[in-house]
Amino acid sequence: MTSNADSGHVSGNGPVGVSGPTRSLWLRLLLLSSAAGAGAIILTGVPAVILNGPEGVLSSTFGGVLVMLFFAISLLVCHFIGRNNPSGAIGMFVATYFVKVVGFAVVLFVVGAPAWLHGRWFVIGAVATVVLWQAAEIYGFSKARLQIYNDPEAKEPRDV
């Protein structure tokens, strides 16, 4: 019996390099997600300005920027916490999420909606930014190299 499967990529003769954990995971996620969020703001801004003029594009941009600010705070906090306590970064991620939800809710209820805000475009901009931001974060986490085990300590030669 024979196989019609391709043998795949031929590996080289060189040595395989050492692979370590992803450097600056949280900042890399922030950059990747911010680019996706900016794309969402542009994608929603074009039809908003065509259909509802300046109020539409300002509303969709405001919704998108608010979402980006909301998520960026967590990634920045995790970056600073994760430098000294990598295992505590995820717990801090959850804690900052709770604080942000309560904080933003209080701000929105106290400040209220500005007169120029177009509610539909605000929601469309915010939802599009959330979807693309989260997709970028999932992609970034899937490509991250996380060190699971501690590397063994190098033994120093003893004088005999």
Side-chain angles (χ1 to χ4, degrees), residues 12-146:
N13 292 333
V16 176
V18 175
S19 177
T22 300
R23 292 179 50 114
S24 188
L25 169 66
W26 303 105
L27 290 181
R28 183 173 163 266
L29 286 173
L30 179 61
L31 179 67
L32 185 66
S33 300
S34 295
I41 290 172
I42 292 168
L43 286 174
T44 58
V46 171
V49 76
I50 292 170
L51 296 173
N52 289 100
E55 292 85 15
V57 74
L58 281 174
S59 298
S60 68
T61 302
F62 182 59
V65 168
L66 193 62
V67 166
M68 288 177 68
L69 178 65
F70 183 84
F71 285 118
I73 291 170
S74 292
L75 293 175
L76 286 173
V77 167
C78 288
H79 168 69
F80 290 113
I81 297 296
R83 290 189 306 186
N84 298 326
N85 184 9
S87 62
I90 295 294
M92 199 56 154
F93 191 77
V94 173
T96 57
Y97 186 81
F98 175 74
V99 169
K100 288 183 307 180
V101 168
V102 172
F104 275 105
V106 168
V107 168
L108 288 175
F109 284 122
V110 169
V111 173
W116 54 265
L117 188 73
H118 192 281
R120 179 179 298 141
W121 284 113
F122 176 81
V123 171
I124 290 171
V127 169
T129 305
V130 165
V131 169
L132 290 181
W133 183 285
Q134 292 294 302
E137 270 190 355
I138 290 169
Y139 175 78
F141 271 119
S142 74
K143 296 297 179 185
R145 305 219 15 125
L146 303 174

